[in-house]
Amino acid sequence: MRVRARFFVGAAIIVVAIGYLIVSAIRTTSEYYLTVNEAIARKAELGDQRVRIAGRVKAGTISWEPATLTLKFEMAQIPDAPAGAITPVAASPASELRVIAAGEPKPDMLAAGRDVIVEGTLGAGGNVIATQVLTSCPSKYKPKQAE
Amino acid sequence: MPDLGKLALGIALLLAVYSIGANIYGARRGAPDFVVSARHAVWAMCAMVTIAVVALWMALLRSDFSLEYVAAYSSTTLPALYKITSLWGGQQGSLLFWTWLLAIFTSIAALQNRRRNPEIAPYALAVMAGVAVFFLGMLNFVTRPFDLLAAIPAEGSDLNPLLQNYWMAIHPPSLYIGYVSSTVPFAFGAAALITGKLDDAWIRTTRRWAIVSWFFLTLGNLFGARWAYEVLGWGGYWAWDPVENAAFMPWLVMTAYLHSVMIQERKDMLKVWNLALIGLVFGLTLFGTFITRSGVISSVHSFTQSGLGPYFLTFLIIVVLSYTALLIYRSRELRSPAEFESYLSREAAFLFNNLVLVGIAFAVFWGTIFPVISEAVRGVKITVGPPFFNRVNGPLALALVFLMGVGPLIAWRRTTLDNLIRSFAAPATIGIATGIIAAGAGIRAWYVLTAFSLAAFGLGTVIVEFRRGVGARRHMLSEPRAKALMNLVAKNNRRYGGYLIHVGVIVAFVGIVGSSFFRTEVKKSVREGQSFTIGSYTLRYLGLKQTETAHLESATARIQVLRADGREVATMAPAKLFYKRPQQPATIVAIRSTPLSDLYIVLAGVDETGASATFEVFLTPLVFWLWAGGLLMVIGTVVVMWPNVRERAAIAEALSGVAARENAGEAASGGE
């Protein structure tokens, strides 16, 4: 039994080490993942924390300057999935966030109506200063109801 | 044709249901006729699913837009190759493809076991048929590939341009083959649990399946990474996206499984662990399918919900719960008599390697589902990105490389200090020397120094092993060196193929470390004739060529690449395409790859006149070795899988031996 116990100690040390790595890494690297509405609601408390915000690109708002690699667009709340959810008739106040991303190429998939995840900070004036704009996939698995 | 496909899927479902019943009834009542007919039902089911697949392929090739699926994922102008790959370009098709693979693998397993494993094979086939019932049920009732459109469009909406790429033609099938072939060892493990035949017959029978599964998971992950690198234009190959993680986790656990079964075969230990691992692999393949289709976890690849999530989740929960219940039910019988004797033993190295691999898989799993958990617990979604995964997995990867070096050289059971020194003196010296050289070359990051030292140590142990083997053959059989090496590998292909895979993993690891730590990036807007530098290269923008076809518009930049001494080394041509339908740009990256570093140029933007253009350029050292290591892993696995006459005979003998022992044991076991 003593041999067995020794091995449990060895295994336990490894397990604890892995657990510690996970916990400490989560503490230092986690970010809020918010919708556009949530980001607007929490703006004050977020300060200059890095966040990820999911939204839908508004038509006619994309501007792209290739020389400075500056991309600007507005994004709105992604409507709830149609899976039986009842959307309140009194629509929530029109809420948009303006996104400014500098220094990154414009993603190929960025277009009006596409869903994006923007990573960055909420700056003054309600703009999102983005360091990264991720566009929705080569999404193969679109729902039929989309758009 | 669509009607035929629909009908075939319906019949296939009935056959699968029948096969479950007939297998179980036949095995329980000792009625071999039923087992035989269940086997025939499996083959008939496979034929039916094949008909459905052919029907969908025909519809795609003929651009039959009366089918909703064809209209959604193909078009008349799509090249034939991509019409074929459209089979897995969309949801219904990919599930059909999955089911087809399952049907084929189940049929092969039925064929292989028509005389072998009379006790567990019927249950294993019943389990596989059960999985088929789930997928066929989805195809018949939930997400039907042969649904028709009310109004037939004149043109389809085409396959996403990003998927019109040869890597995308081979990446999904590789992953699917890897996923689905893991069903076979899982089913035999489950059958061992159901029947209580808990010796290692199920492992031996399905070892090849497990290796095949691992092989294709490896390929699938590599192809996916290569696709991301070549097509997406961000200079990287892995982003820890949930969809990537979903493919990576089963690979990790399968790797652990392939190692730990060796301990069971040798030492009759870790029975529960092996059964748990193979259950975990299968569960993770379902989990992967679940998260890519449910929208529960937002991924760059699929934000949207497709309504399949609840079905997959339900099936996953049923599988996990019933398998766990079986494990608990048999836990008493699964205790192994043997024990670990020493930390300094191969068993210990394998066990720790297993813990680290599963630990990595767990960390990846936790990071992937963390947003969901945090939302459930704290009411707000919190994500972790690549920094989390790198931070956790970086140190664990070091531990893994270290254990990979230790494992092959250390003795089973226990090792003496003398032995240890004799085995490890040379590799350890190589490792330390490498570290010192790297530090002398100006590398200061402790992680990189450790990584390179451990990698060299790991390579050193493999060299020692090869030298030992070759030396023994030369000594005893007086073969010349080259012949001794050939024979060594040919006669022990599992072992030396395994070492080759280790070398591949270490080489790939070096590539990953180098490319992660030393990548430089320059973004520059230049006019025609102007130049800029990255690393020791000077890049001169020569001009832009714009063309237009019916399908797309393209802008191709020409860039002259000069070395520090002014010599021209290449002219590169990054381009931007604008597809007309669907209207979407696509980036064509220009890559110049050398063993030292990759020069990677993206045409980020062009101004209206074309006189100036903006480039994003990456100089990524050592990334070449990631792909080279991947290739070595593939070659090594082929060596491992190579049919070995001696081994085949040994398996046959072992299996008949097992049967004989069982028959003898049956009588004796009453007294236990």
Side-chain angles (χ1 to χ4, degrees):
Chain A
M1 255 349 240
R2 192 170 286 167
V3 186
R4 189 174 272 249
R6 254 205 334 205
F7 266 90
F8 275 111
V9 170
I13 290 173
I14 292 182
V15 171
V16 168
I18 293 171
Y20 170 77
L21 273 172
I22 292 175
V23 170
S24 73
I26 283 200
R27 199 166 291 154
T28 49
T29 65
S30 60
E31 294 167 3
Y32 281 113
Y33 181 90
L34 305 168
T35 63
V36 170
N37 283 348
E38 286 169 341
I40 293 170
R42 286 167 171 267
K43 200 188 283 179
E45 60 176 292
L46 286 175
D48 55 0
Q49 264 187 72
R50 286 179 61 77
V51 290
R52 287 180 163 217
I53 306 169
R56 183 163 291 172
V57 179
K58 279 194 71 182
T61 62
I62 303 173
S63 91
W64 165 242
E65 284 173 40
T68 54
L69 294 177
T70 307
L71 174 67
K72 295 177 186 169
F73 62 91
E74 285 173 25
M75 64 178 181
Q77 177 79 12
I78 302 173
D80 279 338
I86 302 155
T87 30
V89 181
S92 47
S95 45
E96 282 116 36
L97 282 171
R98 194 165 167 70
V99 180
I100 301 171
E104 291 292 327
K106 181 181 160 203
D108 288 336
M109 301 283 292
L110 189 91
R114 285 267 164 76
D115 294 345
V116 290
I117 297 176
V118 171
E119 198 176 342
T121 52
L122 276 168
N127 293 336
V128 184
I129 311 300
T131 51
Q132 203 178 19
V133 178
L134 300 167
T135 45
S136 89
C137 72
S139 173
K140 300 186 273 182
Y141 307 117
K142 286 182 213 152
K144 288 180 219 163
Q145 306 93 325
E147 273 135 293
Chain B
M1 222 42 192
D3 288 339
L4 184 62
K6 208 183 273 183
L7 182 67
L9 284 179
I11 298 174
L13 177 59
L14 295 177
L15 286 166
V17 171
Y18 171 76
S19 175
I20 300 178
N23 265 316
I24 294 176
Y25 181 84
R28 282 183 68 102
R29 292 292 164 86
D33 288 357
F34 276 91
V35 175
V36 171
S37 93
R39 192 156 59 223
H40 292 166
V42 163
W43 292 334
M45 170 190 82
C46 183
M48 287 300 130
V49 181
T50 307
I51 289 173
V53 168
V54 171
L56 191 56
W57 256 331
M58 296 281 277
L60 284 164
L61 284 169
R62 286 180 178 168
S63 299
D64 178 359
F65 298 131
S66 65
L67 278 185
E68 188 187 319
Y69 187 81
V70 179
Y73 297 105
S74 184
S75 73
T76 50
T77 52
L78 192 67
L81 169 67
Y82 297 121
K83 283 181 179 164
I84 291 172
T85 65
S86 289
L87 181 70
W88 51 82
Q91 172 152 290
Q92 297 88 338
S94 65
L95 283 183
L96 176 60
F97 182 61
W98 179 298
T99 311
W100 189 39
L101 291 174
L102 182 63
I104 294 172
F105 295 162
T106 308
S107 299
I108 297 174
L111 187 67
Q112 285 175 329
N113 288 283
R114 63 191 187 285
R115 280 184 208 91
R116 279 195 290 179
N117 301 311
E119 275 147 334
I120 58 171
Y123 287 97
L125 290 172
V127 170
M128 284 183 259
V131 179
V133 166
F134 169 73
F135 279 94
L136 285 166
M138 300 293 287
L139 289 171
N140 274 291
F141 303 114
V142 182
T143 176
R144 292 180 294 259
F146 295 104
D147 270 354
L148 300 174
L149 282 173
I152 301 173
E155 184 54 285
S157 47
D158 221 335
L159 192 66
N160 189 318
L162 286 174
L163 302 179
Q164 296 182 30
N165 175 284
Y166 54 94
W167 293 114
M168 267 296 134
I170 53 177
H171 158 71
S174 302
L175 268 187
Y176 285 175
I177 293 173
Y179 276 172
V180 180
S181 51
S182 77
T183 313
V184 181
F186 165 75
F188 274 85
L193 282 172
I194 294 168
T195 57
K197 304 285 169 210
L198 297 164
D199 56 71
D200 59 5
W202 72 273
I203 292 177
R204 286 175 187 277
T205 303
T206 57
R207 175 170 49 226
R208 212 161 263 276
W209 284 102
I211 294 171
V212 166
S213 171
W214 186 87
F215 179 70
F216 281 99
L217 286 172
T218 307
L219 278 182
N221 276 298
L222 284 170
F223 290 158
R226 185 73 207 183
W227 171 76
Y229 186 65
E230 273 186 18
V231 176
L232 296 184
W234 56 291
Y237 42 82
W238 193 265
W240 297 108
D241 183 87
V243 172
E244 297 167 356
N245 296 346
F248 187 43
M249 287 185 283
W251 182 87
L252 288 166
V253 180
M254 190 59 107
T255 310
Y257 171 81
L258 287 174
H259 287 89
S260 69
V261 291
M262 289 187 229
I263 304 187
Q264 179 167 349
E265 287 179 60
R266 264 215 118 114
K267 313 285 296 183
D268 203 23
M269 289 155 65
L270 298 181
K271 285 180 176 175
V272 183
W273 180 248
N274 287 327
L275 283 161
L277 282 183
I278 199 65
L280 196 55
V281 171
F282 183 69
L284 284 171
T285 65
L286 289 180
F287 175 76
T289 323
F290 162 64
I291 63 169
T292 48
R293 283 172 174 77
S294 65
V296 167
I297 290 159
S298 38
S299 142
V300 186
H301 298 256
S302 54
F303 293 173
T304 44
Q305 304 200 322
S306 72
L308 289 194
Y311 297 99
F312 268 93
L313 192 59
T314 310
F315 184 57
L316 178 62
I317 289 171
I318 291 172
V319 168
V320 170
L321 287 184
S322 44
Y323 194 78
T324 311
L326 275 173
L327 268 176
I328 293 170
Y329 173 64
R330 295 285 179 198
S331 59
R332 194 183 286 270
E333 298 157 69
L334 284 167
R335 283 219 191 107
S336 53
E339 287 209 348
F340 284 105
E341 292 176 36
S342 160
Y343 280 128
L344 299 177
S345 67
R346 194 175 293 183
E347 295 95 305
F350 274 40
L351 178 70
F352 293 142
N353 120 318
N354 259 251
L355 285 174
V356 174
L357 280 166
V358 174
I360 295 176
F362 179 75
V364 173
F365 179 75
W366 190 250
T368 308
I369 61 162
F370 195 69
V372 179
I373 299 209
S374 71
E375 189 169 34
V377 174
R378 294 179 43 191
V380 58
K381 261 192 190 177
I382 298 173
T383 65
V384 293
F388 164 80
F389 294 102
N390 294 337
R391 239 179 134 111
V392 175
N393 294 330
L396 295 179
L398 290 182
L400 211 53
V401 173
F402 173 70
L403 289 168
M404 213 152 72
V406 172
L409 281 194
I410 202 164
W412 292 100
R413 293 187 61 203
R414 56 171 71 243
T415 304
T416 60
L417 192 62
D418 246 19
N419 240 316
L420 218 55
I421 293 172
R422 201 151 11 105
S423 297
F424 289 103
T429 313
I430 295 173
I432 293 167
T434 306
I436 292 170
I437 293 168
I443 294 173
R444 284 294 168 267
W446 72 266
Y447 185 88
V448 181
L449 290 175
T450 319
F452 285 180
S453 300
L454 286 176
F457 165 73
L459 291 179
T461 58
V462 175
I463 294 170
V464 167
E465 264 298 274
F466 270 92
R467 278 187 59 128
R468 255 189 205 172
V470 170
R473 286 196 82 86
R474 291 185 67 193
H475 185 72
M476 311 223 304
L477 306 164
S478 49
E479 290 173 338
R481 186 170 279 134
K483 191 176 170 211
L485 181 64
M486 290 281 290
N487 281 335
L488 184 71
V489 176
K491 296 244 157 77
N492 310 278
N493 59 325
R494 267 181 77 194
R495 180 165 171 190
Y496 290 93
Y499 292 153
L500 268 183
I501 297 173
H502 279 192
V503 173
V505 172
I506 291 171
V507 168
F509 174 70
V510 168
I512 291 168
V513 171
S515 58
S516 309
F517 276 84
F518 302 119
R519 189 169 84 158
T520 49
E521 182 185 353
V522 168
K523 286 167 202 154
K524 199 83 183 171
S525 200
V526 283
R527 305 191 63 77
E528 238 178 73
Q530 278 184 331
S531 46
F532 58 103
T533 60
I534 182 165
S536 62
Y537 291 113
T538 301
L539 309 182
R540 177 176 295 145
Y541 172 43
L542 298 178
L544 198 71
K545 201 174 93 191
Q546 282 170 309
T547 58
E548 185 172 352
T549 68
H551 212 47
L552 49 80
E553 289 171 45
S554 72
T556 309
R558 274 191 313 130
I559 292 197
Q560 191 183 30
V561 181
L562 306 165
R563 274 207 314 227
D565 58 13
R567 270 234 335 255
E568 179 180 336
V569 287
T571 305
M572 293 169 69
K576 201 99 193 164
L577 307 180
F578 302 87
Y579 284 89
K580 292 179 175 170
R581 189 186 35 96
Q583 286 215 328
Q584 183 178 309
T587 304
I588 305 292
V589 181
I591 303 172
R592 181 173 183 273
S593 191
T594 69
L596 269 182
S597 66
D598 272 23
L599 184 61
Y600 184 107
I601 307 182
V602 180
L603 178 58
V606 183
D607 80 347
E608 299 296 309
T609 61
S612 81
T614 310
F615 298 96
E616 186 172 34
V617 185
F618 299 94
L619 192 61
T620 316
L622 302 183
V623 66
F624 173 90
W625 296 101
L626 169 58
W627 316 118
L631 186 64
L632 269 176
M633 287 161 76
V634 169
I635 294 171
T637 319
V638 171
V639 171
V640 169
M641 290 192 292
W642 204 261
N644 185 324
V645 181
R646 232 174 35 168
E647 185 188 272
R648 191 162 284 183
I651 291 178
E653 193 184 326
L655 287 173
S656 62
V658 165
R661 247 185 293 137
E662 262 161 18
N663 292 337
E666 217 98 88
S669 65
E672 254 180 80

